[in-house]
Amino acid sequence: TGPSLAVGITEPNPSLFAPDEVVAPPPGWGRWRDALVRIRPALYRLVVEWNKVQPSAGQPANLALPNSGCMRDKQPCAPYAGLHDQLRALAARQREGGWQVLVVFTGTPDWAAAPPGGCREEAGAGIPRALGAYRRLVAGVLELAEQVGAELSYLTPWNEPNHPYFLSPQRTVCDPAAPSRAVAAYARLARALRAELGDDRRLVLGEMAGLLEPTSRATAVPEMIGALPRELVCAA
């Protein structure tokens, strides 16, 4: 047989992938946990929401932040202790093979965002300017992973950086021909992330929203790729 696509998942609740000895699933969840695990995913996408784990600049990121375990507001729910429980579950599954992790950062806290300006999307997350705090967040995630025995092979600086919901403003003015502010912001985050990675971890660039044409409030994928610094692209 020829090569095939790798199977990957994004499932935040460890009750749906952890062994019983790490996080025991609530009644009725075990069936679905076992079905997911039988897939033996090669990749797992771990999302770190900065604005949730560190809403205040005066407090360090809480990587064991309690989570209700509900999908939005829908039942049933299975509470867990944030990234701490996710990484413990991943460490256990990695010992069985597979489950390589791609870490994705997202969600700018208000205190870490640059002043608003340009073509701002009201519901969008601001452009991060507190790069020192961002690096400390990355370092904290890597340290926690080492403590619990999880291997984080791949890390990407930001989720869908060409979309105004995740980085805003995307442009200096509301014109598709105006320069994109997202490219420089993403490059700064990528350099900050790269500075925290050792030789055993890989910088991944991409994770973009599938926008192929520029708009007044979003950056097109070809536009983003074409404007990224060459030295950064070659380091990924």
Side-chain angles (χ1 to χ4, degrees):
T1 60
S4 61
L5 291 174
V7 174
I9 66 166
T10 300
E11 171 47 65
N13 199 318
S15 290
L16 284 170
F17 62 90
D20 287 346
E21 64 271 17
V22 177
V23 179
W29 285 56
R31 169 190 174 192
W32 304 109
R33 187 274 311 273
D34 295 345
L36 188 155
V37 171
R38 279 196 296 271
I39 296 172
R40 297 185 64 85
L43 301 166
Y44 177 91
R45 182 171 172 270
L46 179 68
V47 181
V48 180
E49 297 181 274
W50 187 11
N51 57 324
K52 291 185 178 179
V53 299
Q54 194 178 14
S56 169
Q59 297 292 330
N62 181 1
L63 303 184
L65 182 71
N67 189 301
S68 68
C70 305
M71 183 53 70
R72 299 181 175 88
D73 60 346
K74 302 294 185 278
Q75 297 285 335
C77 304
Y80 62 97
L83 286 161
H84 180 268
D85 280 359
Q86 289 173 319
L87 288 169
R88 288 176 61 235
L90 285 167
R93 290 303 178 194
Q94 286 176 338
R95 290 191 285 271
E96 302 170 357
W99 298 80
Q100 284 189 298
V101 177
L102 169 66
V103 183
V104 183
F105 296 90
T106 192
T108 312
D110 290 341
W111 59 265
C119 189
R120 176 89 176 168
E121 187 78 17
E122 291 301 324
I127 291 177
R129 65 172 178 175
L131 295 182
Y134 172 80
R135 286 185 59 174
R136 288 190 290 275
L137 172 67
V138 172
V141 172
L142 296 177
E143 181 180 2
L144 176 59
E146 290 184 359
Q147 289 174 0
V148 301
E151 180 181 346
L152 305 184
S153 303
Y154 306 104
L155 295 94
T156 193
W158 207 254
N159 182 61
E160 297 192 358
N162 61 322
H163 194 288
Y165 183 82
F166 299 101
L167 281 182
S168 184
Q170 288 277 313
R171 300 194 184 278
T172 53
V173 295
C174 295
D175 181 341
S180 171
R181 292 184 61 180
V183 177
Y186 185 63
R188 287 193 296 270
L189 288 165
R191 290 191 177 103
L193 175 60
R194 185 176 61 179
E196 294 296 326
L197 302 183
D199 295 336
D200 56 339
R201 298 185 178 97
R202 296 291 302 275
L203 171 69
V204 176
L205 298 180
E207 278 283 301
M208 297 187 197
L211 304 168
L212 300 183
E213 297 293 335
T215 71
S216 61
R217 287 181 167 81
T219 305
V221 172
E223 180 185 13
M224 192 92 171
I225 293 173
L228 283 173
R230 182 178 178 84
E231 50 82 20
L232 189 59
V233 173
C234 292

